[in-house]
């Protein structure tokens, strides 16, 4: 048995010991390990015996150190998160009848093929046109183009970015929600969503993802009551926890304001 | 199982709870990716190991045992010697390289085989053996320096005279 094989064998023995008995049980190396030690030439014999003893000692110490356990409310907290996640995902699922997925898939594939063929044809026609057109014709085209003064330039349209537009108002709304929940640690707005971290000091964190889509300052509907709120309303009276637990999950549905306009809080 | 791996990897109870929760949520979300022909444990621990790696990369710091900050003492740690050893083992684990630590915990604490560890870490078995060997050597060196590991352990009664 080589040194590597010997170490592998020791590992194997320890692992089977872990599975078969608890760490306080006595342990005996199997006969093949003892034989591998005793039949080894003298310097190796000592080394292997020392290796077996040391490994067993280390393994025993690690096993005897009690495994850390999570805090008492951990399981409940995970269960709440499970519930909240399931709830969110169930909202996003679009139901369809049995067998429709195949049809949809085939339809989608056909549409993609048609799109690809049409795109290729259009590209080919454009290239051919460019090659066929003589310089004179191109010149003519340029001459026929309208004078710059005749071109009407539309005023630049403002691209609406819901989060950026809502700006402070949106964050204020988030903070207001946080205040209602009590103990806001941080507000982290990002490009796509905003997370609100709730937690008192070392209490378990509950993260509120405020809308999977970019929210606008507008209406908030509480899930539990179904009440519709206008922006600017005091959220404290309307937000209800989904569960009775103090660290329960809260869910909000964000909807755009019916007018689409910005409203301040 | 998941929590203990996270705790050993991160060294902080609260962070371990957060990451464990994330592991379970990720597992729930990607449950459809799990091959039901295979055991769930390595799959779950794979997610846990990856999440721990991400968390460690995010925090950019080595784990520190902060058990003294826990609100409620662990009733099992009533013996001072055991508590000290537990603390030193956690610190020694924190000194290990992230990969070594993961392999050490998976083998000695979770009792995983090399094949299972290979699934969890995505590394070949030969590499894992080398890592585990080095992890043990470093752990022993640390514990010896702290005066907790004897130079020549007396396990004769357990080793049947070896």
């Amino acid at each position: 048995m080589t040194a590597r094989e010997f170490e592998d064998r020791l590992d194997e023995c320890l692992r089977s010991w872990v599975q078969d008995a608890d760490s306080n049980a006595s342990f005996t190396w199997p006969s093949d390990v003892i034989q591998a030690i005793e039949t080894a030439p003298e310097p190796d014999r000592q080394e292997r015996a020392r290796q077996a003893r040391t490994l067993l000692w280390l393994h025993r110490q690690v096993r005897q150190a009690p495994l850390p356990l999570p805090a008492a409310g951990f399981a409940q907290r995970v269960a709440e998160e499970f519930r909240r996640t399931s709830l969110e995902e169930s909202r996003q699922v679009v139901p369809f009848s049995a067998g429709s997925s195949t049809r949809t898939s085939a339809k989608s594939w056909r549409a993609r093929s048609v799109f690809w063929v049409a795109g290729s044809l259009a590209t080919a026609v454009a290239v051919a046109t460019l090659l066929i057109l003589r310089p004179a014709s191109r010149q003519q085209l340029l001459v026929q183009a309208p004078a710059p003064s005749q071109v009407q330039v539309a005023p630049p349209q403002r691209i609406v970015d819901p989060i950026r537009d809502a700006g402070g108002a949106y964050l204020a709304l988030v903070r207001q929600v946080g205040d209602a929940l009590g103990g806001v640690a941080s507000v982290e707005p990002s490009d796509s969503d905003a997370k609100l971290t709730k937690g008192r000091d070392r209490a378990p964190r509950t993260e509120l993802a405020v809308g999977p889509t970019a929210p606008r300052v507008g209406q908030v509907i509480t899930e539990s009551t179904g009440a519709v709120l206008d922006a600017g309303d005091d959220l404290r009276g309307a937000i209800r926890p989904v569960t009775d637990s103090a660290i329960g999950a809260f869910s909000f549905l964000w909807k755009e304001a019916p007018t689409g306009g910005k409203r301040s809080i | 199982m998941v929590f203990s791996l996270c705790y050993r990897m991160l060294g902080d109870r609260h962070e371990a709870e957060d990451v464990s929760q994330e592991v379970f949520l990720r597992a729930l979300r990607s449950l459809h990716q799990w091959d039901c022909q295979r055991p769930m444990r390595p799959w779950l621990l794979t997610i846990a190991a990856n999440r721990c790696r991400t968390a460690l990369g995010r925090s950019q710091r080595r784990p520190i045992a902060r058990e003294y900050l826990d609100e409620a003492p662990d009733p099992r740690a009533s013996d001072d010697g055991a508590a000290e050893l537990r603390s030193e083992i956690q610190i020694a684990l924190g000194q290990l390289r992230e990969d070594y630590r993961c392999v050490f915990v998976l083998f000695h604490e979770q009792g995983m085989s090399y094949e299972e560890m290979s699934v969890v870490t995505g590394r070949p078995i030969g590499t894992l053996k080398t890592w585990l060997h080095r992890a043990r050597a470093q752990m022993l060196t640390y514990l010896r320096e702290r005066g907790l590991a004897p130079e020549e352990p007396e396990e004769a009664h357990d080793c049947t005279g070896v």
Side-chain angles (χ1 to χ4, degrees), chain B:
Chain B
M1 174 181 76
V2 170
F3 175 78
S4 65
L5 176 64
C6 292
Y7 178 76
R8 293 295 191 214
M9 288 295 289
L10 302 169
D12 180 84
R13 179 175 289 275
H14 295 276
E15 202 173 350
E17 282 185 357
D18 284 350
V19 173
S20 303
Q21 177 176 308
E22 202 182 330
V23 168
F24 287 120
L25 284 177
R26 284 202 174 232
L28 178 73
R29 286 197 184 108
S30 50
L31 205 57
H32 61 281
Q33 292 174 3
W34 172 54
D35 181 2
C36 59
Q37 305 291 325
R38 296 182 174 203
M40 186 173 233
R41 190 163 163 255
W43 180 71
L44 207 55
L45 288 178
T46 305
I47 300 174
N50 288 336
R51 287 294 92 209
C52 287
R53 215 168 288 135
T54 307
L56 282 171
R58 207 165 42 212
S59 61
Q60 287 293 322
R61 60 172 171 73
R62 286 183 175 281
I64 304 163
R66 293 187 207 151
E67 287 159 354
Y68 59 88
L69 290 174
D70 291 348
E71 294 86 357
D74 192 332
R76 296 171 301 172
S78 55
D79 181 59
D80 286 348
E84 186 191 355
L85 185 62
R86 183 177 68 150
S87 169
E88 290 295 338
I89 284 175
Q90 184 61 43
I91 292 169
L93 276 172
Q95 306 276 330
L96 295 179
R97 218 177 79 176
E98 187 188 310
D99 302 326
Y100 295 0
R101 195 187 317 145
C102 185
V103 172
F104 187 89
V105 172
L106 289 177
F107 182 87
H108 285 290
E109 217 167 62
Q110 305 282 341
M112 292 186 98
S113 66
Y114 282 112
E115 287 75 17
E116 288 172 320
M117 288 196 294
S118 179
V119 171
V120 170
T121 59
R123 300 284 181 169
I125 289 174
T127 307
L128 298 179
K129 285 180 180 174
T130 308
W131 286 357
L132 185 58
H133 181 81
R134 289 178 187 166
R136 283 169 180 160
Q138 289 180 20
M139 286 284 287
L140 281 167
T141 305
Y142 176 85
L143 292 173
R144 277 177 187 142
E145 282 171 3
R146 305 285 298 166
L148 290 165
E151 288 297 324
E152 189 67 25
E154 292 176 6
E155 295 276 359
H157 61 286
D158 279 339
C159 297
T160 59
V162 171

Side-chain angles (χ1 to χ4, degrees), chain A residues 72-152:
Chain A
F74 177 71
Q76 188 197 359
R77 185 178 141 200
V78 173
E80 291 294 345
E81 285 296 320
F82 265 37
R83 187 187 171 283
R84 192 172 68 87
T85 307
S86 311
L87 210 67
E88 279 175 6
E89 283 177 357
S90 66
R91 285 200 199 103
Q92 291 167 7
V93 170
V94 179
F96 51 84
S97 58
S100 66
S101 62
T102 315
R103 282 202 300 276
T104 308
S105 173
K107 201 184 287 180
S108 164
W109 174 246
R110 217 167 24 240
R112 252 181 266 158
S113 305
V114 169
F115 182 77
W116 185 82
V117 169
S120 304
L121 276 174
T123 309
V125 169
V127 170
T129 309
L130 280 175
L131 290 174
I132 290 167
L133 276 178
R134 288 173 302 173
S137 307
R138 272 184 268 169
Q139 190 76 22
Q140 199 176 9
L141 282 175
L142 284 173
V143 170
Q144 284 172 354
S149 59
Q150 292 174 319
V151 177
Q152 288 187 344

Side-chain angles (χ1 to χ4, degrees), chain A residues 177-195:
Chain A
V177 174
D179 286 340
L181 299 177
V184 180
S186 63
V187 178
E188 303 162 11
S190 67
D191 287 337
S192 59
D193 62 358
K195 279 184 178 174

